[in-house]
Amino acid sequence: MELLLELTEVPSVSRTEGEVRMGAFIKEKLLERIPGLKDTPKDLLWHPLPNDPLKRHVVGALVRSARHTADTVILTGHYDVVDVADFGKHKSLAFSPLEYTKALHGEPLEHEVQEDLLSGDYLFGRGIMDMKCGLAVEMALLEKFAANPSDLPVNVLFLAVPDEEDSSEGMRAAVSLLVELQEKEALRYLGAILTEPSSAGAQVEGKELIFFGTVGKLMPFFYCIGTGAHVGQYYRGLSATLLASFCNQLMEANPDLVEEVGGEKVPPPACLYFRDLRDSYSVTLPDRALVYYNLLTLRKYPADILKELKKIAEQAFRQALDHLADSAKSAGFAADEFSPLVLTFEEYLTEIARENPDIKSKIREIASELANINDDRERAIELLKRLSERDFSRKPKIVVGFLPPWYPHRENTRESAPDLLVAKVAQKVMDEAREKFGTEMEIKEFFGGICDLSYMGYKGSAFDPFCIAANMPGWGSIYRVAVKDLMKLDIPVLNIGPSGKDPHKPTERLYLPFSLEVFPALLEKAVKSFKE
């Protein structure tokens, strides 16, 4: 509890200096609580994020079993949190759980929130559940393991990473670190346990959850290039926003893009951005517009989705032209004729390269100029805009591709010995919960919210990362995943976390009886069950 409060009091909002302080604080606590790390400095991990303007770090420690084994279990979690803009008048207390919980008494709260507050079983605050509690329990267990290494059947590798709430830059950086440790320290990873709160991944009334895998995430975009014309000569041009609107009509909430596996399903695609890309007011038709989406996956791979995106764009283009022709006919105007043209970003770049043979070096140059833009998606969109200035064909078109980030899905297929071992561990945890604590738990195949477990290895074809790389503006210069290293890992995953409600809301709260009394014992059981 003491450690949990200390961690929560650091305002480690994603992509702020608070993350830097949080990483340093965790490092300090590891050295303080595990004295042996001073004698074995190589077991204290302090790994910088590449080219990070904030100079954030992955921080962690390796506690070795006295049995001199290569078998290693990873405990991991993120130390960043979302911002507190929605905390209103209590914003200054958001990172002080005891004071914030006290301040909520007397506030007009929803009935369920009010009941939880009055029960005394919940502690409120930003990050208290998502996910400072998971980190506090992991660190407390690490201290316990370090004090009794002869009682530890496996090595335990603790990794705390920044940036999960934004684009998992921390865990993406940790991929290469995991490969380095695997090779230099001859570690054999039996599994990775993330301690995200279970309610962030799914909710089942009256039960705590264990997850065997995680959903994947892609960010497909439609970059619509029209033909400008004065609005007084509307039918002489083709509005890019008209193209985008038909793309959105076919893409948003499209049930054909909802995947279901064993009764678990993802929500439909949701539009996160829809706008023209003009820099100033104009009475001409917008000639460029962009729309992008949140798309979750369970088994579909990028190449298959890209084919579906092209079909949607082709259909949208035809519908837009039909709409324009019908409108002109009804209004009694003559309209210019256009032909549908849909390209993947890879195809579009190939076209541009015909007139710009230096385009690859130009992309790196533009990406460098955009370094001051903090958002990866905004940087990629600006890159798209600048590339289209080198498109001398001037033909209306829709370009489809992907924006950052990319989260590969992970599924436990029970087809390999490592996957079967993780399933066995989960069963032992469930038995322990029921027999020792009277707590019922349930297995879910996929953590429903994106999480860092996506980067514990890649089971798909090597072609899939290539498809992403080739069709993401700025891959390698704006955004990257260490694909070669990722494919060297195949670590079975589990998520076993604390209990609580309302992550990312001002009513975020931790259920103390399970989270601080039951969950730590279950996590210890999970680690030791890998080699029982």
Side-chain angles (χ1 to χ4, degrees), residues 174-356:
V175 168
S176 297
L177 174 61
L178 287 170
V179 171
E180 180 183 335
L181 290 169
Q182 180 176 258
E183 295 173 351
K184 289 187 176 180
E185 299 298 321
L187 301 181
R188 180 168 55 248
Y189 300 128
L190 300 182
I193 303 175
L194 179 66
T195 55
E196 285 272 12
S198 63
S199 61
Q203 293 185 359
V204 175
E205 188 69 30
K207 289 186 179 181
E208 301 300 333
L209 304 176
I210 298 177
F211 299 88
F212 276 175
T214 182
V215 300
K217 173 174 174 169
L218 293 167
M219 297 279 281
F221 72 81
F222 298 84
Y223 182 43
C224 301
I225 301 173
T227 298
H230 191 280
V231 293
Q233 298 178 312
Y234 182 87
Y235 294 103
R236 299 300 306 276
L238 176 60
S239 169
T241 54
L242 180 67
L243 292 174
S245 67
F246 277 94
C247 289
N248 190 55
Q249 189 176 31
L250 294 173
M251 185 71 180
E252 176 118 18
N254 185 336
D256 293 335
L257 294 173
V258 173
E259 282 194 81
E260 181 174 359
V261 174
E264 296 182 33
K265 62 178 69 176
V266 295
C271 179
L272 300 183
Y273 182 106
F274 186 133
R275 67 190 65 177
D276 72 82
L277 299 180
R278 292 185 295 192
D279 297 321
S280 60
Y281 171 78
S282 173
V283 289
T284 60
L285 297 179
D287 63 348
R288 288 176 296 174
L290 188 130
V291 54
Y292 70 70
Y293 299 84
N294 185 80
L295 178 65
L296 301 182
T297 64
L298 299 179
R299 286 180 178 167
K300 282 187 180 179
Y301 288 105
D304 299 320
I305 290 170
L306 193 63
K307 290 177 184 176
E308 294 183 72
L309 297 177
K310 283 195 76 172
K311 289 179 182 178
I312 289 170
E314 288 162 358
Q315 185 180 352
F317 213 133
R318 287 193 298 271
Q319 289 183 356
L321 293 181
D322 289 346
H323 172 79
L324 198 60
D326 290 346
S327 172
K329 183 178 179 179
S330 298
F333 286 93
D336 285 8
E337 293 187 0
F338 303 96
S339 299
L341 177 60
V342 174
L343 302 171
T344 65
F345 177 71
E346 182 181 14
E347 293 166 341
Y348 184 51
L349 199 58
T350 299
E351 279 203 352
I352 293 175
R354 292 193 182 103
E355 300 292 333
N356 302 268

Side-chain angles (χ1 to χ4, degrees), residues 122 129 197-199 203 208 498-503 509-511 515:
Y122 286 83
M129 178 184 69
S198 63
S199 61
Q203 293 185 359
E208 301 300 333
S499 181
K501 299 177 183 178
D502 292 352
R509 57 200 184 275
L510 183 71
Y511 181 55
S515 301

